[in-house]
Amino acid sequence: MGDEARTEICITGFGGQGVVLAAHIIGHACALIADKEATMMQSFGPEARGSACTATLVVSAAEVLYPYADHPNILVAMSSDGYDKHAPDLAADGIVVYEEDLVTPQIGPAQQGYGIGSTRIAEELGRRIVQNIVMVGFFTAVTALVSEEGMREAVAASVPAGTEEVNLEAFDRGFEYGRELTASHRDVAAPAG
Amino acid sequence: MKTDPKGVLTGSHYLDGDFACGEGAMAAGCRFVAGYPITPSTEVVERIANRFPLVGGTFIQMEDELASMAAVVGASWTGTKSMTVTSGPGFSLMMENIGLAAMMETPCVVVDVQRAGPSTGLPTMVGQGDVMQARWGSHGDYELIAMSPQSPQESFDLMIDAFNLSEEYRVPVIILMDECVGHMTEKVVIPPADEIEVTPRRLTEVAPDDFLPYQINGQLVPEFARAGDGYRFHTTGLTHDERGYPGMSVEAQDANVSRLVDKIRVNAGDIVRFDEADTEGADVVVVTYGITARVSRAAIDIARGEGVDVGSVRLVVVWPFPEQRIRELAASVKGFVVPEINLGQLVLEVERCVAGQAVVRSVPHSGGAVHDPQTIAAAIVEVAR
Amino acid sequence: MTVEARPDYAETVEHPMTPFLRMDRIPHVWCPGCGIGTVVRCFASALEKSGIDLDKVSVVSGIGCAGRTAGYLKLDGFHTAHGRAIPFATGLKLGRPELTVTVLSGDGDLVGIGGNHFIHAARRNLDLLVVLINNFTYGMTGGQNGPTTPLSARSSTMPFGNFETPFNLPHLAASSGAPYVARWTSLHVRRLTWSIEEALERKGFRFIEVVAPCPVLYLRLNKLGDGVQRMRYYHDEAEIRNGADPGDAAIDFQGKILCGVFVDEERPTYQELMDEHYGNVLGDDYVPMPLEGGMLGGG
């Protein structure tokens, strides 16, 4: 549970944002490409089809014994409802990765926050539906959990056939934005002034 | 024989336990599935409905679980390997025809992705409360085999074993999965078809005129004739003789039912399967199955950190229960800890086998979540002291 | 006048249906005057006339007096759980599509406890021939009220007369989608045999109701005489109207029994629809279930 090798990730949003697919892609990259153990769980029932939807991942060098992410190290928030629900569980030194036009996070003193207008970027690409993939690209850059190549491969393997191009473009846009953000050491959540 | 490569999706996949179970069934040679949708098992049949048209199998969504199980028994009499998939409320409805399958000695597989009950309970949340139902759920005396996977990988692997055991012993084999494993996505490696050994139906070579459907010739499992091969046999859910004809007598009942039970009890040593670890010199042994086995390993690590010498027995095959091994261990340990996501079911079996020789501590959970490993660890430490 | 020794019929005369029956199970369980044996005889005759390969014919029954029919026919025979003959037969047919799968059972079994399966099998147009022997009661358990017991008729659980509206079975089958729907009584031996033979040539969910006497329970409880008197009632009150609206086929207590072939249409079966649909959608990727069963040989 508290072992060093274990990273707990919580991805949350509203139904239709592709929360589960985003988690699946990250898990796929960790488990099949990066050769880590990666256990994904997801919410089921009506909430997965409209209201708050959550998927979690436990990534570890060793076998995952306890499969749930009770105290995530990384919270990916794509809706404010999801953020409100899961932020209290975030580890004291955790990271929030969020949709900055939809979520206003309260970042703790030892926590880090990285925001992106993933929906806007997806809309610029003409496909709002790829918002989650923009977020996956951004996540890849700011967390460095899995290599860029590994995650791209997982995106290509997971999205519907024929949509690889737009999804990889979305990934690249998110990744670039995240890389610039981390390179500039700009902590968007730091209180202004 | 080796399985048909058409049903085998060889390679590494990121799959949930339900999908892995569906793939396992197809790799095992299953070509008929009848089912009725029920959370959290539905993804198994959705996977199969997607792939069966490509591999020569037929899936039919029946009107209820009574019909699903009846159709599976019927289909198996054609020699086509058959299964159904459900969860607690549906499992209850299937008990009638699971009994028929046991009585007619019909190979088939029933997957129960357990959720918390009773009744409608917690449809989307985990439970392990069907363990005793799997063993005793249909009326009368019979024996069957039940297996419990702890991961998506094992959800695939055990399906091959389940179909093979059902063929070997002509019994329903229950896969006691749980919602946590069913909805858990992990890496699943599917081997090439030529590495998957499947047990064919034990078709008789006796000529139709000389064939009796329940004649055993010194074995405990009779040979099989499929419908449509000219044997013109009869079978019934009534107590029957070697001819498959009803026999309404104490003698017929004894011969018929004793054999149904004996074919599993006598062969239990070959069927029983468990992972045993660190029991040599252990003070405490944790007996677990399914998802709870994984959570218990986290608890064992915690207890070891507190200096307890603890081992484990993880049941891969839950029924028949490894009575002999538990009895042996009971002579040398201080106690057993039995965590389950129910209020104490398989612990009764452990208690029966331990027979007072050691402490037996249940770690119950009424369902909806897996145990907190700390709770199990505390029980281990307590039993050790 | 010289009296010659009478021939030993048991030795010298074989019943013409012997090849179709499990003679080692005779005598059967049915009561004197019961109509079920007649239906079995007609069923066997129809099979004989049809010239069908008997090795490929399965007969499935549920529970009850009529549920015992599968046990006397020398075919692959399945005496299944109460109410489950139709879903069991569904598995047989889909598991080995080349089989001719028939269901012989009673009213309580097929439309009481098994009623849901009945309407769904008709809706799907599964390729099954269902012969339902309707004796208006649960005979095996002692004459209880059933789903076809006529209004006001007495049964052991409606001792003051039945106040539940019974099913009109041809109407139920037809409105659920059955492409072949007929009704006869056990008096109509030739017509019933011919109708079963005709139904064997058709495909899809074929339904034949046979009204048959239960002298020991239904007739006794209702003071309706013996089996012979029942034949007289069938003779007087059965009205044959092929093509009649099944909606007109309800049976009142001691009322008219509308008989005939009410529906005889062509409608694609479940398997035909499946094959056509997957063929259209998946093209050459579609692998239908082999006619002899699925993955019997391995890789």
Side-chain angles (χ1 to χ4, degrees):
Chain A
M1 300 257 286
D3 59 302
E4 291 300 307
R6 181 181 167 105
T7 305
E8 297 186 0
I9 304 164
C10 173
I11 304 175
T12 182
F14 45 80
Q17 274 184 319
V19 166
V20 174
L21 179 61
H24 199 279
I25 289 168
I26 296 168
H28 177 114
C30 293
L32 301 187
I33 298 163
D35 205 24
K36 299 177 182 192
E37 299 288 334
T39 302
M40 181 188 124
M41 303 295 298
Q42 66 192 82
S43 58
F44 276 84
E47 66 270 25
R49 296 187 282 271
S51 55
C53 174
T54 300
T56 65
L57 277 158
V58 178
V59 180
S60 173
E63 183 191 12
V64 174
L65 298 178
Y66 184 81
Y68 295 100
D70 290 347
H71 300 289
N73 307 95
I74 304 170
L75 173 61
V76 180
M78 304 196 286
S79 76
S80 92
D81 273 1
Y83 174 79
D84 292 346
K85 190 171 169 192
H86 296 283
D89 299 327
L90 182 65
D93 59 351
I95 301 169
V96 188
V97 181
Y98 59 96
E99 208 311 351
E100 64 185 12
D101 294 330
L102 298 175
V103 179
T104 311
Q106 305 291 312
I107 306 296
Q111 293 173 336
Q112 293 167 274
Y114 299 97
I116 180 172
S118 46
T119 312
R120 248 185 304 122
I121 293 173
E123 281 167 355
E124 283 167 26
L125 292 169
R127 295 288 299 275
R128 191 179 181 163
I129 198 166
V130 299
Q131 179 277 138
N132 59 338
I133 308 298
V134 176
M135 187 58 89
V136 168
F138 183 64
F139 171 95
T140 308
V142 302
T143 65
L145 187 75
V146 183
S147 71
E148 181 192 0
E149 302 73 45
M151 206 71 98
R152 280 188 111 248
E153 194 182 324
V155 170
S158 306
V159 298
T163 69
E164 292 89 346
E165 202 176 324
V166 66
N167 277 294
L168 287 172
E169 200 183 344
F171 177 88
D172 292 342
R173 288 287 299 274
F175 185 82
E176 279 311 312
Y177 188 87
R179 195 161 62 176
E180 282 165 24
L181 191 67
T182 47
S184 68
H185 297 282
R186 185 163 60 96
D187 187 351
V188 289
Chain B
M1 70 184 188
K2 303 298 178 194
T3 197
D4 175 1
K6 267 205 302 287
V8 187
L9 211 61
T10 302
S12 294
H13 308 270
Y14 198 54
L15 287 182
D16 75 12
D18 280 356
F19 280 1
C21 170
E23 288 299 333
M26 288 182 275
C30 176
R31 292 295 181 270
F32 179 81
V33 173
Y36 184 82
I38 183 166
T39 304
S41 74
T42 311
E43 292 86 348
V44 181
V45 292
E46 286 174 349
R47 184 78 177 191
I48 282 165
N50 255 298
R51 298 241 301 123
F52 253 7
L54 308 173
V55 307
T58 294
F59 165 70
I60 181 169
Q61 184 173 314
M62 296 298 284
E63 51 276 12
D64 57 32
E65 288 91 348
L66 302 162
S68 302
M69 190 64 216
V72 164
V73 182
S76 182
W77 277 94
T78 69
T80 300
K81 293 186 181 181
S82 305
M83 79 159 184
T84 185
V85 184
T86 191
S87 185
F91 197 44
S92 294
L93 291 183
M94 286 178 182
M95 286 304 151
E96 173 192 69
N97 287 290
I98 288 174
L100 182 71
M103 192 58 151
M104 287 183 167
E105 302 189 61
T106 314
C108 57
V109 173
V110 179
V111 177
D112 173 23
V113 186
Q114 297 171 92
R115 63 196 225 186
S119 189
T120 314
L122 298 172
T124 62
M125 297 162 88
V126 67
Q128 289 184 311
D130 306 350
V131 176
M132 282 297 175
Q133 186 185 22
R135 172 67 186 81
W136 302 104
S138 200
H139 54 278
D141 285 305
Y142 63 99
E143 291 263 354
L144 46 62
I145 297 170
M147 315 179 89
S148 189
Q150 63 167 348
S151 65
Q153 180 68 56
E154 217 172 50
S155 301
F156 175 88
D157 296 340
L158 292 188
M159 290 309 290
I160 316 276
D161 300 320
F163 274 96
N164 288 350
L165 285 166
S166 78
E167 294 295 336
E168 190 172 348
Y169 296 103
R170 289 185 62 173
V171 286
V173 176
I174 313 288
I175 293 287
L176 275 172
M177 223 181 356
D178 52 64
E179 184 276 338
C180 187
V181 170
H183 282 167
M184 169 192 286
T185 304
E186 288 188 333
K187 180 179 178 177
V188 175
V189 179
I190 299 181
D194 61 12
E195 290 176 18
I196 298 174
E197 190 68 34
V198 295
T199 305
R201 186 64 50 95
R202 293 177 55 234
L203 295 180
T204 187
E205 289 177 2
V206 175
D209 286 346
D210 302 325
F211 176 72
L212 298 176
Y214 294 101
Q215 191 172 43
I216 54 167
N217 297 323
Q219 302 172 329
L220 281 167
V221 186
E223 292 180 338
F224 193 92
R226 331 193 275 140
D229 277 358
Y231 283 84
R232 302 198 198 172
F233 59 84
H234 182 250
T235 180
T236 173
L238 285 168
T239 296
H240 47 264
D241 59 20
E242 290 183 328
R243 299 171 297 175
Y245 290 178
M248 301 295 102
S249 70
V250 175
E251 293 73 23
Q253 169 75 0
D254 186 43
N256 189 166
V257 178
S258 297
R259 192 173 57 71
L260 293 184
V261 167
D262 285 347
K263 68 179 177 178
I264 299 302
R265 287 194 189 162
V266 169
N267 292 304
D270 293 334
I271 303 168
V272 157
R273 192 167 132 202
F274 52 88
D275 286 345
E276 184 171 332
D278 310 307
T279 51
E280 182 85 36
D283 286 328
V284 181
V285 168
V286 182
V287 181
T288 63
Y289 52 95
I291 185 59
T292 308
R294 285 172 71 160
V295 177
S296 296
R297 285 200 289 284
I300 286 170
D301 289 344
I302 298 167
R304 285 203 182 120
E306 298 191 28
V308 180
D309 208 338
V310 52
S312 62
V313 171
R314 177 179 77 93
L315 307 180
V316 178
V317 170
V318 177
W319 303 114
F321 186 76
E323 300 178 356
Q324 197 187 329
R325 187 59 191 143
I326 297 298
R327 280 195 193 103
E328 288 164 5
L329 288 168
S332 65
V333 303
K334 280 188 188 166
F336 293 85
V337 170
V338 189
E340 310 174 76
I341 309 175
N342 57 53
L343 297 183
Q345 294 195 13
L346 209 72
V347 68
L348 300 172
E349 197 69 357
V350 178
E351 278 175 356
R352 182 176 71 81
C353 297
V354 170
Q357 294 182 83
V359 174
V360 178
R361 171 67 54 85
S362 169
V363 187
H365 190 305
S366 45
V370 300
H371 288 79
D372 180 343
Q374 295 288 355
T375 313
I376 303 172
I380 296 170
V381 171
E382 211 179 298
V383 169
R385 291 188 180 140
Chain C
M1 189 174 116
T2 324
V3 179
E4 288 185 31
R6 294 158 72 184
D8 183 349
Y9 287 105
E11 286 287 318
T12 57
V13 180
E14 193 176 66
H15 189 282
M17 288 300 112
T18 296
F20 297 87
L21 299 174
R22 295 186 187 279
M23 296 308 289
D24 53 350
R25 290 204 61 200
I26 303 296
H28 55 66
V29 296
W30 298 310
C31 307
C34 170
I36 298 171
T38 309
V39 180
V40 172
R41 168 68 156 89
C42 295
F43 184 80
S45 295
L47 280 176
E48 184 183 35
K49 287 180 181 165
S50 74
I52 204 164
D53 177 3
L54 297 180
D55 283 351
K56 294 280 184 281
V57 180
S58 284
V59 59
V60 185
S61 292
I63 296 298
C65 298
R68 292 302 187 91
T69 48
Y72 298 109
L73 284 157
K74 203 166 178 181
L75 301 165
D76 289 333
F78 300 91
H79 182 223
T80 67
H82 195 20
R84 316 300 166 222
I86 286 175
F88 189 103
T90 300
L92 273 175
K93 180 63 188 174
L94 297 181
R96 188 167 187 175
E98 66 187 352
L99 297 182
T100 295
V101 181
T102 64
V103 173
L104 257 72
S105 212
D107 46 300
D109 188 70
L110 289 173
V111 296
I113 186 169
N116 197 33
H117 312 312
F118 180 89
I119 57 175
H120 284 280
R123 172 180 68 79
R124 296 186 180 107
N125 201 22
L126 285 159
D127 197 22
L128 305 173
L129 167 57
V130 177
V131 178
L132 181 150
I133 302 163
N134 180 6
N135 62 5
F136 300 148
T137 193
Y138 286 91
M140 186 70 88
T141 46
Q144 292 78 26
N145 216 74
T148 59
T149 308
L151 269 172
S152 82
R154 282 193 186 160
S155 62
S156 73
T157 49
M158 286 278 193
F160 306 104
N162 174 35
F163 54 81
E164 281 187 15
T165 305
F167 271 136
N168 168 350
L169 294 180
H171 192 40
L172 178 69
S175 52
S176 302
Y180 187 93
V181 178
R183 177 197 277 154
W184 307 102
T185 75
S186 61
L187 179 69
H188 297 100
V189 173
R190 276 179 300 131
R191 286 185 175 89
L192 173 60
T193 304
W194 160 81
S195 184
I196 295 172
E197 197 189 338
E198 180 175 76
L200 281 166
E201 290 166 8
R202 303 288 192 269
K203 57 189 169 60
F205 190 87
R206 294 143 288 165
F207 174 65
I208 300 173
E209 176 188 2
V210 190
V211 175
C214 173
V216 170
L217 292 157
Y218 182 78
L219 298 189
R220 185 174 56 80
L221 287 168
N222 287 288
K223 301 186 168 53
L224 297 173
D226 59 13
V228 176
Q229 279 169 283
R230 198 61 176 165
M231 292 299 118
R232 200 157 290 134
Y233 160 61
Y234 293 164
H235 178 267
D236 294 345
E237 295 298 331
E239 181 190 336
I240 298 172
R241 259 203 287 151
N242 289 317
D245 182 345
D248 297 335
I251 300 175
D252 294 330
F253 183 67
Q254 290 300 91
K256 188 184 71 184
I257 303 173
L258 192 60
C259 292
V261 177
F262 304 127
V263 180
D264 185 5
E265 298 168 349
E266 204 162 323
R267 188 158 84 83
T269 67
Y270 180 87
Q271 284 150 302
E272 286 170 345
L273 289 166
M274 178 169 65
D275 286 341
E276 190 194 340
H277 183 69
Y278 284 143
N280 288 339
V281 176
L282 301 171
D284 291 342
D285 291 335
Y286 175 47
V287 183
M289 169 75 82
L291 291 177
E292 70 279 10
M295 209 205 93
L296 304 168

